[in-house]
Amino acid sequence: MTEAFPSTGSAVLDEIAAVIGPKAALDFAVEFRGERVYIPQNPAREPRIAEAIGEELARKLCDTMFRTIVRVPMRAVLEHKVKQLADEGIMTRREIARHLRIREGRVYEILERARKEQDQLRLF
């Protein structure tokens, strides 16, 4: 099995990551965060899947997991994506907020909490 989907605790997203890879699974989860998504047999029936992960991976996902309803967690996915984009250092906090369609203040909150957790871990 491939690398586990990062820190969501979602078995379904782990399955998706096994099929299309962790990065594409994260892109899928960010697009559909907080939603229930039906995976159709034909990806043309849900074009947002291909928009999120590309045509080839959408076909692979639909071929493997058609007729599955995925409940995409919101908070863990969003937090992971904010941290990933911040770590890449390509986008400003404002750009991250716009990209993920969240408040800029939420980006700062997530990154501050992550910093505090990291500081706490260093104590042990």
Side-chain angles (χ1 to χ4, degrees):
M1 186 157 177
T2 189
E3 177 184 337
F5 191 82
S7 72
T8 67
S10 172
V12 174
L13 289 178
D14 284 340
E15 263 186 76
I16 290 172
V19 173
I20 62 174
K23 184 203 176 305
L26 182 60
D27 292 340
F28 173 89
V30 167
E31 175 65 30
F32 293 100
R33 67 184 182 258
E35 296 181 36
R36 288 175 33 155
V37 182
Y38 175 75
I39 307 295
Q41 188 168 10
N42 179 352
R45 293 191 63 211
E46 179 51 84
R48 283 177 57 205
I49 295 174
E51 290 170 13
I53 63 175
E55 294 288 333
E56 183 179 332
L57 292 176
R59 168 58 52 205
K60 188 174 181 181
L61 179 65
C62 290
D63 286 347
T64 306
M65 298 186 70
F66 67 92
R67 296 190 186 128
T68 301
I69 295 176
V70 179
R71 289 179 179 89
V72 182
M74 187 170 201
R75 181 179 173 189
V77 168
L78 183 64
E79 290 179 359
H80 182 80
K81 188 66 177 180
V82 166
K83 289 185 261 186
Q84 177 191 35
L85 291 171
D87 288 346
E88 288 173 0
I90 297 169
M91 299 175 133
T92 66
R93 304 306 190 242
R94 176 175 288 163
E95 291 168 335
I96 292 170
R98 285 184 189 149
H99 177 73
L100 297 175
R101 300 181 308 270
I102 60 175
R103 292 180 302 105
E104 187 175 353
R106 180 79 173 113
V107 171
Y108 282 97
E109 291 166 7
I110 291 168
L111 295 175
E112 179 62 18
R113 187 176 327 109
R115 186 192 61 74
K116 286 180 180 178
E117 288 171 5
Q118 203 56 27
D119 288 348
Q120 192 69 23
L121 289 173
R122 287 189 198 131
L123 292 174
F124 296 101

